[in-house]
């Protein structure tokens, strides 16, 4: 396979970076070099921002119908170019082709169609006379140029979650994909040519310093990132220097709480899938299983068999692989790795699906994000303890409750301090519902009408009628 030489996408054209440094793209299945990506310069970032600002002059004034039509065409183009998108992403992520096609291309096209419809449903307070002699109404307006940074775990999907609501609301975008997984985003940019006006979507390649240059640039009115807590804090601090709006979707440490009356087979199957899908590289993945003490051992035995029967893709890159294997090498002596816990094979960044019992609430394994195919199991004695253990982490993105008792469902869904609570399932997402967390998981919503509203600003207009 020929090595891909990547370029930035600015103002509707692929252009070589003016930077002199490059990055090798590594296929995580066999550690081969599949491409070379530039580390873009400040001049590249300037060019992309200028293109986006120029495009906003007209795109920001388009009607919702115009934006909807463009996004619907883009959704069709995404589906029509599925093979090309899948091939590009698989080279960078090692994900199975069918996973990318089903979970990112097909689902992503559906999400873009939702955003297309949402473009025509933005609402404000109805016009009225709230002071005698004056009529007031609310305008929802695009914020302007938006700087966006996406992660490597779901490259295409995360790009669509970013550009979809931003463009639907009338903004223009400068997006930096992860340095290890840029190719599917460039294919997305390529197929947007002729559908989106030049400059509406721009893609700048590079590393963390490039992302910092985007965020710190004077042009964007808003910055949006999906990434780690550390990266999110850096973005928030940088954005605050110019009082830019920040939209942060960060990490997670999702608990799945299994009560004694739960359907055990359904719980093991659903939780196992939600723990190991995409090698656990999912901020909503189950990472902590809290099981009632009366069924703890039975649950663990079944989960071990589930893990042994599960095939997972590789971790994305050598740095992350080193981090995860280092965590597994440092499991505390009071805990037990009941299955997995090692590298799988001697080529590629594969790690065995891993289940660890005997952990304590204060352990790093419980408190900190691993982002790999690793799950811990803890026993609880009653509902209050289950809720205490669940909420006693710094993250607040996703959670699930497994029970057949409606009263338990009502109390737990109210008490869990997470942006999403699933009941007798874990990880399904729909475009109509918001995705986003609390605490160190960030703020702002992806998906849903709330996600589109995040990319708008509110203006009050008041007119004298006398």
């Amino acid at each position: 396979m020929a090595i891909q030489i990547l370029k930035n996408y600015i103002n509707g054209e692929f252009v070589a970076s003016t930077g002199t440094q490059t990055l090798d793209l590594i296929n995580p299945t066999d550690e081969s070099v599949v491409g070379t990506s530039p580390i873009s310069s400040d001049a590249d970032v300037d060019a992309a921002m200028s293109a986006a600002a120029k495009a906003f002059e007209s795109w920001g004034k388009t009607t919702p119908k115009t934006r909807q039509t463009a996004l619907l065409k883009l959704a069709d183009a995404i589906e029509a170019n599925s093979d090309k998108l899948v091939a590009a992403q698989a080279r960078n992520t090692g994900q199975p082709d069918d996973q990318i096609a089903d979970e990112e291309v097909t689902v992503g096209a559906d999400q873009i169609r939702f955003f297309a419809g949402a473009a025509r449903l933005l609402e404000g307070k109805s016009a009225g006379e709230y002071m005698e002699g004056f009529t007031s109404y609310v305008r929802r307006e695009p914020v302007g140029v938006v700087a966006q940074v996406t992660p490597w775990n779901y490259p295409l999907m995360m790009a669509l979650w970013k550009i979809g609501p931003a463009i639907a609301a009338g903004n223009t975008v400068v997006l930096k994909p992860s340095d290890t997984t840029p190719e599917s985003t460039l294919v997305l940019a390529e197929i947007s040519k002729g559908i989106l006006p030049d400059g509406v979507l721009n893609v700048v390649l590079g590393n963390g310093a490039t992302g910092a240059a985007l965020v710190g640039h004077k042009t964007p009115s808003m910055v949006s990132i999906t990434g780690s807590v550390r990266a999110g804090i850096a973005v928030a601090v940088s954005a605050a220097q110019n009082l830019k709006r920040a939209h942060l979707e960060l990490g997670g440490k999702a608990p799945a709480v299994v009560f004694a009356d739960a359907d055990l087979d359904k719980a093991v199957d659903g939780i196992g899938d939600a723990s190991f899908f995409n090698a656990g590289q999912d901020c909503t993945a189950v990472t902590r299983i809290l099981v009632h003490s009366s069924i703890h051992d039975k649950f663990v035995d079944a989960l071990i068999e589930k893990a042994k029967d599960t095939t997972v893709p590789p971790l994305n890159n050598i740095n992350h692989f080193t981090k995860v294997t280092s965590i597994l090498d440092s499991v505390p002596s009071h805990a037990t790795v009941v299955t997995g816990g090692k590298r799988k094979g001697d080529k590629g960044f594969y790690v065995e699906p891993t289940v660890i019992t005997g952990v304590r609430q204060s352990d790093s394994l419980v408190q900190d994000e691993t982002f790999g195919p690793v799950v811990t199991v803890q026993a609880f004695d009653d509902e209050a303890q289950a809720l205490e253990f669940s909420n006693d982490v710094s993250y607040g993105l996703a959670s699930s409750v497994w029970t057949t008792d409606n009263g338990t469902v009502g109390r737990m869904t109210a008490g869990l301090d997470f942006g999403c609570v699933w009941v007798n399932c874990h990880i399904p997402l729909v475009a109509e519902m918001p995705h986003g967390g609390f605490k160190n998981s960030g703020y702002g919503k992806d998906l849903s009408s709330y996600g589109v509203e995040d990319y708008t600003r509110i203006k009050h207009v008041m007119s004298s009628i006398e």
Side-chain angles (χ1 to χ4, degrees), residues 38-49:
I39 299 177
S40 293
S41 67
D42 288 347
D44 298 328
V45 174
D46 285 341
M49 291 296 177

Side-chain angles (χ1 to χ4, degrees), residues 13 29 92 111 118 162 176 207 209 325 332 354-355 406 423 431 452:
E13 302 293 339
T29 64
N92 294 171
Q111 291 163 344
K162 288 282 185 281
K176 190 199 85 68
N207 56 12
T325 53
T354 301
V355 179
N406 284 334
V423 179
V452 180

Side-chain angles (χ1 to χ4, degrees), residues 32-363:
S32 62
V33 177
V34 295
T36 300
S37 176
I39 299 177
S40 293
S41 67
D42 288 347
D44 298 328
V45 174
D46 285 341
M49 291 296 177
S50 295
K54 180 65 176 176
F56 179 70
E57 293 175 6
S58 55
W59 184 252
K61 298 174 183 176
T62 55
T63 63
K65 177 183 177 181
T66 298
R67 299 195 295 271
Q68 180 192 47
T69 299
L71 287 171
L72 289 174
K73 289 179 179 177
L74 181 61
D76 291 343
I78 289 168
E79 289 183 329
N81 287 274
S82 178
D83 290 348
K84 191 171 184 179
L85 287 161
V86 168
Q89 184 152 306
R91 285 193 296 270
N92 294 171
T93 65
Q95 296 165 314
D97 287 0
D98 58 348
Q99 176 186 320
I100 302 170
D102 295 341
E103 301 295 332
E104 298 201 44
V105 175
T106 299
V107 172
D110 174 71
Q111 291 163 344
I112 289 295
R113 291 188 179 105
F114 168 81
F115 291 129
R120 300 181 74 163
L121 292 174
L122 287 170
E123 298 176 349
K125 197 169 187 176
S126 62
E129 288 69 52
Y130 302 98
M131 179 182 290
E132 187 175 341
F134 297 88
T135 292
S136 291
Y137 65 93
V138 170
R139 287 176 55 90
R140 275 197 180 272
E141 299 177 342
V143 297
V145 176
V146 182
Q148 300 181 324
V149 179
T150 53
W152 42 254
N153 57 333
Y154 298 110
L156 177 62
M157 184 189 298
M158 294 297 96
L160 295 175
W161 283 18
K162 288 282 185 281
I163 71 168
I167 291 174
N171 303 285
T172 57
V173 169
V174 179
L175 184 146
K176 190 199 85 68
S178 168
D179 56 344
T180 63
T181 59
E183 290 195 64
S184 59
T185 304
L186 290 176
V187 174
L188 174 64
E190 179 185 5
I191 65 178
S192 75
K193 175 72 173 177
I195 296 174
L196 299 176
D198 293 348
V200 170
L201 171 61
N202 305 275
V203 179
V204 176
L205 307 179
N207 56 12
T210 313
L214 258 67
V215 171
H217 200 277
K218 65 181 184 300
T219 297
S221 300
M222 179 177 174
V223 296
S224 177
I225 180 176
T226 298
S228 68
V229 173
R230 177 183 56 80
I233 291 172
V235 166
V237 170
S238 177
Q241 305 307 308
N242 294 304
L243 296 179
K244 294 174 185 172
R245 189 184 306 183
H247 183 281
L248 309 175
E249 202 281 278
L250 310 177
K253 197 67 180 173
V257 185
V258 185
F259 286 89
D261 63 345
D263 181 326
L264 190 65
D265 291 340
K266 182 178 180 180
V268 169
D269 193 51
I271 292 171
D273 288 343
S275 299
F276 304 129
F277 182 78
N278 203 37
Q281 298 171 123
D282 189 315
C283 51
T284 62
V286 173
T287 60
R288 302 178 290 139
I289 306 173
L290 309 177
V291 185
H292 191 271
S293 54
S294 65
I295 60 168
H296 174 274
D297 293 350
K298 186 176 181 181
F299 183 95
V300 170
D301 288 344
L303 185 63
I304 290 171
E305 294 308 309
K306 173 73 174 179
K308 289 179 177 178
D309 291 339
T310 300
T311 300
V312 299
L315 299 180
N316 178 256
N317 57 78
I318 184 61
N319 291 335
H320 188 54
F321 174 78
T322 300
K323 172 195 168 186
V324 173
T325 53
S326 176
I327 290 171
L328 293 176
D329 289 340
S330 304
V331 173
S333 59
H334 57 262
T336 303
V337 177
V338 294
T339 190
K342 301 185 299 296
R343 177 178 189 169
K344 183 176 181 180
D346 57 5
K347 180 180 289 188
F349 307 135
Y350 293 92
V351 171
E352 297 173 337
T354 301
V355 179
I356 304 174
T357 61
V359 293
R360 298 170 182 165
Q361 187 66 21
S362 60
D363 288 343

